[in-house]
Structures are given as structure tokens and as C-alpha cells.
Amino acid sequence: MDAVRVALLREVLAGTEWLGATRRFAGVLRGSVVSHGGGLLLVGTPTYEPWHLAAHLVDEAAWSGTPELSPTLVRHDARPSDPAHLAVGLGRLAAARRGETLLVVSAGGASPPLLERVHDARRAGVTVLSLAAGEGELATMAHEGLAVPDAAELDLDTVQHLVSAAAGENSLPVPRGRRRFRDRLSRLADELTAPPPTPW
């Protein structure tokens, strides 16, 4: 879906909760990867791999000048003979550490082995985000989630388009409490170069 179609979709959805929800979730995603700088891991389920979302995030990372948005796609059936960008297996989740962000996309519920890996990653300090069709255990495990109910006007693929497009917008506010490194550095520079306070 190109930028024109996303704009048309946003016009159609004006007045619904979807625009605010997808922008908020995209803000958390962008804020997490930019402020932590540890990289973005993207994983789906054995029956649903988020290839399309990975491709859109790579494009948005390039267009917005935010390389942190470019994800590492973690695959359930990755083989060493696969191209490098497709050869990252579930072992990468076990190696995930504090500062990294894990976005889990689930179209029909996450399996117990995947939930266990996500839980272990969270305990290791990884920020866990979920984008899922319906509610489930994954939503309760995530730091932040966006659920697409079965009866929703949109499907999971459309919501992924809205999230990826919003994540690439440079005007997207960084969520409170997750200020960008440049913002913190700028504030520190202002404090260090400010004249001394007047004596009282």
C-alpha cells in the first residue's frame, strides 16, 4: 500500500478510533527503538510471518532517516541456506537483551513455545510490543499492544499498513517518558551552557 492509498484510508477512517490507536502504537514503537537504540526484532507465528510489515518498516526507516525502525525478521523455519535477511531463527529471541524491542505479530494466537520465548525476552529486559488479531495471553504479556478484534472494520494487514506509515512520520511525538537521546543531549547542553544562577 503506497502513501496515496494510506492517505485515502486515513480519510475514510477519520472519526474512528483506529487513527488514534495506530498512531499511538506507532509512537510507542518508534519511541522505543529510537530511545533505546538496541534494534527492532519482528516475529510472527509459525503460520503467519509478517513479511509485509517488515518490508514496509524497512521503507519507512529509509524515508524517515530512522534506521532503528528497520527490523530483523525472526523466522520460525529459518535455515542457514536462506539469504542473510531471512536466516534469523528463533534463537535470536533467546539472545535478545535490554535495550532491544520485540514486536510480535499474531493473526490467530501465539503458540505456547512462542509465548515462552517472548516471556523470557521480557524478563531479559526487552521491550515487548504486540499487534494481534483478537485478545489473548500475548496482549497481557506485552508492555504495549494493539488488538484487532474479530468484528473490527479493519483486518490485521490493514492495521499493519497504518502502523508502519505512522511510525515513519517524523512529526510523530515521542511518548512521554521516552525522550529521544538527542532531546536529552540538547537539554544537557542547554543546562551546561546556561549562565550561573543569580546569587540570592
Side-chain angles (χ1 to χ4, degrees):
M1 188 178 292
D2 58 27
V4 173
R5 289 184 182 158
V6 169
L8 290 173
L9 179 59
R10 285 177 172 166
E11 276 185 40
V12 170
L13 294 173
T16 70
E17 65 182 40
W18 286 110
L19 290 184
T22 53
R23 281 179 163 261
R24 179 192 54 77
F25 185 78
V28 172
L29 170 62
R30 183 173 173 136
S32 177
V33 297
V34 169
S35 64
H36 295 151
L40 174 61
L41 303 174
L42 176 62
V43 67
T45 63
T47 58
Y48 184 87
E49 288 191 335
W51 305 81
H52 209 75
L53 179 58
H56 280 291
L57 286 172
V58 167
D59 289 343
E60 294 296 339
W63 293 331
S64 67
T66 313
E68 301 92 342
L69 276 176
S70 188
T72 297
L73 181 62
V74 178
R75 300 181 59 224
H76 289 263
D77 61 351
R79 295 178 297 273
S81 59
D82 290 336
H85 69 289
L86 300 176
V88 179
L90 290 176
R92 178 63 180 88
L93 298 184
R97 292 292 172 254
R98 182 174 305 281
E100 292 182 299
T101 301
L102 172 61
L103 174 55
V104 185
V105 181
S106 171
S111 64
L114 177 59
L115 288 172
E116 186 177 328
R117 289 177 185 266
V118 171
H119 178 68
D120 290 345
R122 181 179 167 130
R123 280 194 351 216
V126 175
T127 300
V128 177
L129 308 176
S130 75
L131 185 54
E135 298 286 343
E137 196 175 340
L138 179 60
T140 60
M141 193 179 295
H143 292 96
E144 190 75 35
L146 180 58
V148 183
D150 293 333
E153 310 90 349
L154 303 179
D155 61 7
L156 184 62
D157 288 335
T158 304
V159 171
Q160 290 178 66
H161 282 292
L162 291 170
V163 167
S164 61
E169 293 175 350
N170 286 321
S171 61
L172 197 63
V174 176
R176 186 182 303 173
R178 296 178 184 240
R179 290 191 314 212
R180 292 171 43 154
F181 174 74
R182 281 185 270 171
D183 296 338
R184 294 191 312 250
L185 188 60
S186 175
R187 183 170 173 235
L188 177 63
D190 289 343
E191 289 176 5
L192 292 175
T193 58
T198 56
W200 45 276

